Amino acid sequence: MTLQPPRSVRFACATDENDNLRGYLLAAAATTPDAPALVERAPDGGLRTWSYAALEDLVDGYVDTLDGLGLDVGERVVVQSHHCSSALAVLLACATLGLPFIPVAPDMPDERLALILDSARPALFLQHGDGTRDHLPGTVGTGRFGDDGLRVERAPHTRPRVRAGVTPTDPVYIIFTSGTTGRPKGVVMTHRGVVSFLRGVRRLGFVAPGDRVATTSPLQFDFSLVDTGMALGCGATLVPVPRDELAWPRRFLEFLSEAEVSQVHGVPSIWRPVLRTAADELAAMDTLRRVVYSGEDFPLPELRRLSELLPKAQIVNGYGATESMAASLTALPNPIPDTLQRPSIGWAHPGAEMTLIDEAGRPVTEPGVTGEIHLRSPALFSGYWNDPEATAAALVPDPFDPSSGQLVFRTGDLAYRGPEGELYFCGRADSQVQVRGNRVELGEIERRMQQHEGIASAVLALDRQAGPEPVLTAFLVRGDAAAGESVTAAAVRAFCAETLPAYMLPHHIHFVDDIPLTSNGKADRRALLARVSH
Ligand code: ADP
């Protein structure tokens, strides 16, 4: 027998804002249905606005089509799209039905997608109407979606339904991040986890109804879901920035003005070209009240420049990993004090806590001592898809009370506390390398190079292929300042030698015009090394 309880039973959770991502994000459809939920570039080149009620209608139209396919709770759906109204509606339709979604980028290489399909064995592959992905394996159903609805092209193979309805502990999505083994690693998040994260973050007050939140991260990067959740969960308006406009600093800023954006979320690298070529235009944007960055260190010289150009804006450092959406969001002082060495990652968001553990497994509480961040939170992922070993390495028994059965997330990130107990991120435990027997933290060297007035940004990569010992290879972008024109490798090395021991000096220094980025917009160390490999 195939379970098919009445719709009211199956959808009971889906519309509850405590229990389901759809219910949480569309709560405003009941209270302020006409409020703008999403503003986006329209096909005619203008802007168009979706009210909460209109967005909910779009979601429900997709739900009707998907529900007719007879998929069981837990069956996966790959969604390929840029961020837009219909992509968001598909994600929320999947959430309604308990079908975990796997967002992928339209430009994801075929081989990488093949690895994901092979691992996740989705029932359906849905792409935005303008998608060009074909030759998908016959095991997966296919379809397209857009303003005109959702069209199934090849029906999925279904399994007999064994589940009656979606629950808060069911997976809501799987995000595939780069795994250390070279195979993408699927981070599985539950409805309950994501909703409790978004609730905690809402209490920080960084978004209010009336705000317009620009999101710049690709859909497969969970940061785009953080932005979406922060905006819609507060009854505010989400503004996805089209990728082709983001790529051009002036067009990017013009889009922000046209859409009357009040805050911008994105990785630090979205600001680099703006600071270089459109600083005056940015300074003129006095409607920007907040910038939230996340995902990696913001090089301090660039961060200072951004805060100088936007003296009235609040800059917020979002720290965390896909495994918990994020861990903290910390407002930085503006202006940034001259004495600031690195931005704080503050405290975990309400409802969560970051603790530091030393190499012997003991808690670190005193200021200035480095430990590994262990996060306890209701928003922890439930595991890596089909990888119990990696899951057990990351979700570990609470080091303070191992008998309790509680699991905490061992982040692999190192930090120390400041005088008030606030945290400062200082690198990855796994980027801590031994160079000629000495412990070296790559981030510390990067930071020193960035302090040179002629350097705009610095990325250090560890070249393990170059010889028996790992080789420290620096990639530097010269700054615009007069000193930047003439800075040489010898000068940078001498500058580093003023504060760093000899074994921490980069072996090779390369000047580059730009820092290549991963598809998520973070510095791509592998691509940099490939440029100089012999
Ligand atoms: P996210 O999707 O949240 O960026 P990823 O899973 O791609 O997360 O990468 C997480 C890692 O990125 C963290 O473990 C940390 O090493 C680094 N990271 C994230 N945010 C910051 C930040 N604000 N400052 C420095 N490093 C960061």
Side-chain angles (χ1 to χ4, degrees), residues 177 221-223 267 293-298 317-323 325-326 345 409 411-413 425 427-428 520 522:
T177 67
F221 187 17
D222 75 321
F223 198 10
V267 287
Y293 75 88
S294 163
E296 65 181 344
D297 261 332
F298 209 134
N317 179 10
Y319 156 79
T322 311
E323 285 85 341
M325 291 206 90
I345 58 166
F409 173 38
T411 61
D413 288 334
F425 170 82
R428 293 277 311 161
N520 288 350
K522 300 196 193 190

Side-chain angles (χ1 to χ4, degrees), residues 225-461:
L225 301 174
V226 173
D227 305 340
T228 304
M230 284 176 72
L232 299 195
C234 294
T237 310
L238 184 72
V239 185
V241 179
R243 302 215 69 71
D244 53 344
E245 300 191 47
L246 180 62
W248 301 96
R250 287 201 175 80
R251 284 180 65 193
F252 172 37
L253 297 184
E254 278 159 21
F255 176 82
L256 298 180
S257 297
E258 190 187 343
E260 297 173 43
V261 160
S262 56
Q263 65 189 68
V264 182
H265 293 207
V267 287
S269 64
I270 62 165
W271 296 107
R272 192 166 298 140
V274 176
L275 297 179
R276 265 200 195 173
T277 62
D280 292 344
E281 289 85 340
L282 180 64
M285 290 194 55
D286 50 8
T287 48
L288 264 193
R289 290 197 303 274
R290 188 170 289 116
V291 168
V292 178
Y293 75 88
S294 163
E296 65 181 344
D297 261 332
F298 209 134
L300 206 47
E302 292 175 356
L303 185 60
R304 278 190 200 287
R305 185 87 182 108
L306 184 68
S307 79
E308 283 161 14
L309 293 170
L310 296 174
K312 288 191 241 149
Q314 183 181 54
I315 300 183
V316 176
N317 179 10
Y319 156 79
T322 311
E323 285 85 341
S324 62
M325 291 206 90
S328 66
L329 288 141
T330 310
L332 303 178
N334 194 4
I336 293 177
D338 290 342
T339 49
L340 189 109
Q341 295 285 319
R342 51 165 57 109
S344 173
I345 58 166
W347 304 83
H349 62 79
E353 187 179 348
M354 296 191 275
T355 48
L356 297 184
I357 306 292
D358 71 10
E359 281 167 0
R362 289 177 307 235
V364 176
T365 49
E366 59 276 43
V369 181
T370 301
E372 184 177 345
I373 300 174
H374 284 58
L375 176 70
R376 64 195 64 223
S377 160
L380 295 186
F381 69 127
S382 42
Y384 296 111
W385 175 259
N386 197 22
D387 196 343
E389 218 171 287
T391 303
L395 286 174
V396 300
D398 178 2
F400 300 158
D401 287 303
S403 329
S404 68
Q406 172 166 213
L407 298 178
V408 302
F409 173 38
R410 181 174 182 186
T411 61
D413 288 334
L414 301 174
Y416 60 86
R417 289 191 189 280
E420 311 295 327
E422 78 283 10
L423 288 173
Y424 293 85
F425 170 82
C426 57
R428 293 277 311 161
D430 49 18
S431 70
Q432 208 175 63
V433 291
Q434 298 293 118
V435 177
R436 297 194 296 278
N438 298 288
R439 179 168 148 175
V440 171
E441 178 48 58
L442 298 184
E444 195 182 341
I445 307 171
E446 271 177 3
R447 215 154 284 124
R448 176 61 185 164
M449 292 188 293
Q450 274 160 13
Q451 284 166 357
H452 192 289
E453 57 171 353
I455 300 299
S457 37
V459 171
L460 195 69

Side-chain angles (χ1 to χ4, degrees), residues 1 17 24 35 38 50 74 126 156 178 187 192 228 419 424 472 508 512:
M1 186 196 76
E17 70 161 297
Y24 182 77
L38 190 139
W50 293 79
L126 298 177
S178 63
V187 177
R192 185 172 67 182
T228 304
Y424 293 85
L472 298 172
H508 300 302
V512 291

Side-chain angles (χ1 to χ4, degrees), residues 272-273 276-277 302 455-459 474-480 484-485 510-517 528 531-532:
R272 192 166 298 140
R276 265 200 195 173
T277 62
E302 292 175 356
I455 300 299
S457 37
V459 171
F475 297 89
L476 307 178
V477 179
R478 290 189 168 99
D480 295 332
E485 302 298 317
H510 301 276
F511 288 96
V512 291
D513 290 336
D514 63 329
I515 301 291
L517 303 174
L528 281 167
R531 284 189 189 175
V532 298

